[in-house]
Amino acid sequence: MTDMVLVLGALAAVTAVGLWAWRRWHPVSFWYGVGFPARAMLVYLTWHHVASGCRLTRNRRRFRLTLDAVPVVGPASRNAATVVEQKRRMRRIDVERAPRLGLLRPTRLGWRMRLRLHDGQVPADYEKAAEGIAHAWRVHSVRVVDVRPGFVTLWATMRDPLVEVITEPETGELLTVRPGKLENGHDWVIDFRTVPHWINAGATQSGKSNLANALIKGLAPQPVALVGFDLKGGVEFTPYAPRLSALATTRKESVDLLADLVGEVENRMALCRTHGARNVWTLPESLRPVPVVVLVDEVAELFLMADKSEKDQVARTATALLRLAQLGRAFAVYLVVCGQRIGSDLGPGVTALRAQLSGRVCHRVNDPETANMTLGDLDPAAEDAARAIPAETPGVCVVAGQDGSWHRARSVYVPESAAEQAARDHAHLTPDWDALIGSVPTARPAA
């Protein structure tokens, strides 16, 4: 017996060490082979209790076999014992039922599962209960990621994938940048041809400028023209001047540059009309103009007025930006509007512009109005998530736009020196601005 105990103890120790080494050196296969099956069993066994605690269950009338009476022993006397007759009957009683749980599907960071809604339930019920479900299952978070008639899909994450983000912004695809990672572990991809215009809001030291660095580094190797608006004296975008086709650092320069951009859009519009094309991407490649990405560093500076003498410039600026947002997508002119403070108090021009910018990125903000302007019209839960971003996590943001839903994301850290080096290395790809705005080929009659 002693020898058997020693052998069993040795086998247990070797197994424990092997499992530890497996988890330490190859955590992905350990999760799929050991971790996920154990978690799936826990989820299935505890789901009824978890759903009941989160108030997701419903009482249903079901037929059950019940007892009408229970045997009762009478007085202590042996001869005077009384027994009540026992009968069983089928009756309808209230039975608590949890939502039907579908098949759990593993992911690299957790699992996904589909639930069938009870009658009268809505996805918002599960969004409210998500935090309680996460605590019950001892996971980092639970999110409602997919909604279909009568069903919701919950996505559970074991750990926060945004603690450390390592990726390269370059993708090798035209007008596509990979600035970081999403909370589901997938790459965060900004495709300007899919979502053409973006808002990038965030307070100081929130990661807003780092995202701009990632965009510049990702777009620098591509055959596109970069245009900058930096009304903070040019301190943000001047280091990237070798890769910028044009840069405006004052209000007057901004008005003139916006007028050039609107004129370029009108020229491209005329070219497409002449050749019967709906947008520049359906033109022959020899006639297709160079895509233009416009980076606005601090949008509030374009709308603020020191006195009434600037009212006309602000109105012209607002009108030009709005026209670019409305018409730019079809003619390969894209906007990235950054700002610390984006509120309706800046004027109706900001509100109208916001409505045209379908891509939204909201870092940590100092006021609820900016979060509301950026995300409030999409999903109130996204606004709450943005306001909950802690100050010690720069680069973490809430992203909405690519697939119609919102995600927590984090941009990869791109030092200013790396973005400046990318601008210098690819300076030879910078189109000359004067040649660009006059490079539209002479229109030929359509065949």
Side-chain angles (χ1 to χ4, degrees):
M1 179 65 69
T2 304
D3 294 340
M4 183 178 296
V5 170
L6 291 176
V7 170
L8 292 177
L11 288 176
V14 171
T15 302
V17 172
L19 290 174
W20 176 87
W22 186 7
R23 182 178 182 180
R24 173 68 176 82
W25 300 110
H26 209 288
V28 175
S29 62
F30 178 84
W31 164 247
Y32 285 108
V34 179
F36 173 71
R39 285 282 178 167
M41 184 178 299
L42 174 66
V43 169
Y44 283 121
L45 291 177
T46 63
W47 171 237
H48 187 277
H49 301 286
V50 173
S52 178
C54 296
R55 300 181 180 180
L56 296 175
T57 57
R58 291 289 187 272
N59 288 332
R60 297 295 181 93
R61 301 286 290 177
R62 293 290 185 269
F63 282 101
R64 291 292 185 270
L65 195 62
T66 62
L67 292 176
D68 277 351
V70 177
V72 177
V73 178
S77 172
R78 295 180 179 177
N79 298 326
T82 303
V83 178
V84 178
E85 186 178 359
Q86 175 180 316
K87 296 181 179 180
R88 294 179 179 272
R89 292 184 179 179
M90 290 295 296
R91 291 184 177 180
R92 295 190 68 184
I93 62 174
D94 289 335
V95 178
E96 189 180 53
R97 298 296 298 271
R100 185 178 299 175
L101 193 63
L103 181 66
L104 269 67
R105 293 166 291 173
T107 64
R108 292 177 64 90
L109 298 174
W111 64 86
R112 296 165 62 96
M113 58 184 182
R114 178 173 292 181
L115 298 174
R116 185 183 183 90
L117 300 179
H118 281 313
D119 295 341
Q121 287 187 335
V122 294
D125 297 332
Y126 291 82
E127 293 175 354
K128 294 178 182 178
E131 185 175 0
I133 297 174
H135 283 286
W137 287 342
R138 307 296 190 269
V139 296
H140 171 69
S141 65
V142 173
R143 281 273 312 278
V144 177
V145 297
D146 186 24
V147 177
R148 296 185 181 182
F151 296 89
V152 296
T153 300
L154 300 184
W155 177 66
T157 306
M158 295 292 296
R159 57 181 177 81
D160 189 359
L162 305 182
V163 173
E164 184 179 5
V165 175
I166 301 175
T167 187
E168 286 295 328
E170 298 88 350
T171 63
E173 300 179 15
L174 182 64
L175 293 170
T176 302
V177 182
R178 184 175 51 236
K181 292 283 187 179
L182 300 176
E183 62 178 343
N184 57 11
H186 297 164
D187 289 338
W188 172 17
V189 177
I190 293 180
D191 184 355
F192 287 99
R193 293 186 62 178
T194 303
V195 182
H197 309 306
W198 290 79
I199 288 180
N200 176 21
T204 303
Q205 300 298 321
S206 65
K208 174 171 57 67
S209 298
N210 183 76
L211 177 58
N213 293 344
L215 291 175
I216 290 174
K217 185 178 180 182
L219 291 171
Q222 303 183 24
V224 300
L226 301 180
V227 176
F229 290 83
D230 182 6
L231 267 66
K232 291 192 295 187
V235 296
E236 291 289 340
F237 287 161
T238 298
Y240 312 132
R243 188 60 183 86
L244 298 179
S245 296
L247 175 63
T249 59
T250 64
R251 178 71 59 78
K252 184 180 183 305
E253 291 178 355
S254 299
V255 172
D256 295 339
L257 184 53
L258 285 171
D260 290 343
L261 284 168
V262 172
E264 176 64 12
V265 168
E266 292 174 348
N267 290 338
R268 297 182 179 192
M269 189 186 309
L271 178 65
C272 291
R273 182 174 62 250
T274 301
H275 291 274
R278 292 182 177 272
N279 55 66
V280 297
W281 303 108
T282 57
L283 288 170
E285 189 172 355
S286 59
L287 297 176
R288 192 177 302 161
V290 177
V292 179
V293 179
V294 180
L295 303 170
V296 181
D297 178 61
E298 188 56 64
V299 67
E301 292 295 327
L302 293 175
F303 289 89
L304 290 176
M305 289 185 292
D307 50 53
K308 292 185 178 180
S309 62
E310 297 181 344
K311 184 176 181 179
D312 180 63
Q313 289 183 330
V314 171
R316 293 168 59 188
T317 298
T319 302
L321 277 176
L322 184 58
R323 292 195 67 189
L324 290 177
Q326 291 176 338
L327 305 174
R329 183 198 65 81
F331 307 109
V333 177
Y334 308 103
L335 293 177
V336 179
V337 177
C338 308
Q340 297 182 32
R341 175 78 173 89
I342 302 176
S344 57
D345 57 328
L346 295 177
V350 173
T351 305
L353 178 63
R354 185 278 305 264
Q356 299 295 327
L357 307 180
S358 54
R360 310 290 176 86
V361 180
C362 186
H363 295 82
R364 176 181 56 83
V365 294
N366 293 327
D367 61 298
E369 176 67 14
T370 300
N372 183 51
M373 283 286 288
T374 308
L375 300 169
D377 60 336
L378 299 176
D379 192 336
E383 180 183 352
D384 295 338
R387 295 174 60 182
I389 297 175
E392 60 271 13
T393 57
V396 174
C397 57
V398 173
V399 182
Q402 196 82 357
D403 58 356
S405 61
W406 65 271
H407 303 272
R408 289 176 66 248
R410 190 170 193 173
S411 56
V412 63
Y413 176 61
V414 178
E416 295 178 358
S417 58
E420 294 172 12
Q421 185 63 43
R424 290 191 295 267
D425 293 343
H426 302 284
H428 62 283
L429 298 176
T430 305
D432 180 72
W433 182 245
D434 293 332
L436 178 67
I437 60 177
S439 63
V440 178
T442 302
R444 297 193 300 269

